[in-house]
Amino acid sequence: MTWIVAWVSVLPLLVALLVATFVPGWLLLVAGGARFRLARIACAPALTFLLMGLGGIVFRALGVWWHLPTVVTYLLLCASVVAAGRWLWVRRKGQVLTLRTWFAPEPAPHGLPAPSPYSSTMGAPGEPEMPDTRSVLGSQRLMWAAVLIAWAVMILPMLPGSGPDIPIQSADSLYHYNQAWLIEHTGNASMLDGNAGMFGMDGHHSFYPMVWHAIVTLSSVGWYQVVPATNTLLLVVPLVWLIGMAYLARVILPETRGSVYLVLGAGALTPIFPIRLLTDTAVWPYALALAGCPAVAAWAVGQVRRCRWLWSKRRRLRAATSVLAIVPAAGGLLLTHPAALVIVGWPLAALAWTGLVLASWRLLRSEDRHDRVVGAWMAAVAV
């Protein structure tokens, strides 16, 4: 039973890795005023990946050492900039945001229905109501208990035959251990040249996604903790996946009571992903990016719905900006591992193309000349 003692001893490290994975992105979403709690938590890792990937490049360009104090300062600065930008934008429209009203739906423009606190995932003003979250998920505590149970079922088989201090023996795993150690040694987490020394190069020209290693180094105090931090981060990846799947089920099956629990159960009982990629193949950055795909897909579906509704109300600028909100989350996956964007991108691209064709068809049949012109342009883009 020594393995139990070994894994219990790294519980503080596990908490630190959970904070490093979820909190930076959550702060960014909170600063931006995202109102749906499940969306804030599920999409937080993708935004964290974005901050880590871009931060490594910026730190390298400015000559700043990548370690916990400087990174925390950078993350708080980013969240403050987003919060200030939102406050100024709302202030420009003559409204005032307070801590109490930060997550409240904005007042609906004249002529539109009043917003509901149970609007869809993004909470666009006046959006059509979706079922009360409680009626779909039941108790919030029950849902999170189900997530934790599914997570435990998924990771428990990994623990007896391993240990936080035992390096996983494969070519890829040894590379990733050494890459995290190199960041500890050089303070360079840039994907553009941070791993050049790993290939015997001159240190100036190289590319490899470094988000995984950047998160590891934030939670390891000194190079000797690289192996425990890396092995413990393997346990966080399934949690990112399960929360994202719960959010995706909530978005695409809003009328199906219990859909979240069915998805969590299926994920726990068929753990070939992400467990096999984490243990047998050790393609850890790729697995981390794939784990973030369900939440980003759900985010994109919610934003497309919001865009369609806003467009129907002739709020064209807001409709365009809602689609652009997909970019940061997708960018986080891209920086974590570029291949993951193909996995999440092709079904979303097919969905977007289908929506574009249907929307153009409806506009072309409209009696309004402006709508027909827009429909013609949309049809041309689809073709």
Side-chain angles (χ1 to χ4, degrees), residues 39-337:
R40 291 202 300 263
I41 297 173
C43 296
L47 273 296
T48 296
F49 304 158
L50 177 73
L51 292 170
M52 297 296 177
L54 293 179
I57 297 172
V58 171
F59 277 38
R60 177 60 170 169
L62 298 178
V64 179
W65 192 278
W66 182 271
H67 65 155
L68 188 60
T70 55
V71 174
V72 168
T73 303
Y74 156 71
L75 296 175
L76 291 176
L77 179 62
C78 290
S80 299
V81 169
V82 172
R86 180 167 187 258
W87 187 86
L88 290 172
W89 175 261
V90 173
R91 183 77 174 179
R92 186 187 65 86
K93 298 189 293 183
Q95 302 166 17
V96 178
L97 280 176
T98 65
L99 289 177
R100 184 174 181 178
T101 61
W102 191 265
F103 301 111
E106 297 177 15
H110 180 69
L112 295 183
S116 163
Y118 299 115
S119 296
S120 74
T121 55
M122 297 302 104
E127 225 173 359
E129 292 187 8
M130 291 176 68
D132 183 333
T133 302
R134 187 175 296 274
S135 70
V136 176
L137 301 180
S139 167
Q140 288 290 310
R141 293 181 181 179
L142 181 61
M143 188 206 71
W144 288 112
V147 169
L148 293 177
I149 291 171
W151 183 39
V153 170
M154 189 173 280
I155 66 174
L156 279 176
M158 298 170 56
L159 304 183
S162 62
D165 296 315
I166 302 173
I168 295 175
Q169 299 298 314
S170 74
D172 277 5
S173 64
L174 296 179
Y175 168 82
H176 295 308
Y177 290 134
N178 284 311
Q179 181 60 72
W181 174 87
L182 188 63
I183 295 175
E184 290 271 4
H185 185 67
T186 64
N188 179 12
S190 171
M191 67 178 64
L192 302 180
D193 61 4
N195 74 325
M198 298 285 290
F199 299 111
M201 299 179 182
D202 59 6
H204 297 294
H205 304 287
S206 174
F207 171 80
Y208 194 82
M210 304 281 266
V211 169
W212 171 277
H213 316 92
I215 294 175
V216 167
T217 57
L218 292 182
S219 305
S220 59
V221 183
W223 61 267
Y224 57 89
Q225 281 197 345
V226 163
V227 172
T230 299
N231 290 356
T232 307
L233 185 56
L234 299 180
L235 307 182
V236 176
V237 176
L239 184 61
V240 174
W241 168 259
L242 290 171
I243 295 175
M245 289 299 293
Y247 176 40
L248 181 62
R250 168 71 179 93
V251 170
I252 65 176
L253 299 170
E255 303 288 349
T256 305
R257 185 180 179 87
S259 60
V260 170
Y261 302 109
L262 292 174
V263 167
L264 291 174
L269 296 176
T270 55
I272 189 169
F273 178 83
I275 302 304
R276 185 176 182 277
L277 290 184
L278 294 174
T279 56
D280 293 348
T281 61
V283 285
W284 297 333
Y286 180 59
L288 183 63
L290 285 183
C293 285
V296 174
W299 178 271
V301 170
Q303 291 291 2
V304 169
R305 288 175 179 169
R306 180 182 188 181
C307 173
R308 291 172 58 187
W309 185 86
L310 289 169
W311 190 274
S312 70
K313 301 299 180 182
R314 300 188 181 277
R315 303 186 69 190
R316 308 295 163 78
L317 180 60
R318 287 291 300 276
T321 55
S322 67
V323 172
L324 291 177
I326 302 171
V327 174
L333 298 184
L334 177 67
L335 293 176
T336 309
H337 201 289

Side-chain angles (χ1 to χ4, degrees), residues 358-373:
L358 292 176
S360 66
W361 176 251
R362 285 194 295 266
L363 290 173
L364 287 171
R365 298 174 63 188
S366 172
E367 297 180 359
D368 188 288
R369 182 178 179 277
H370 180 268
D371 285 348
R372 292 197 299 272
V373 171

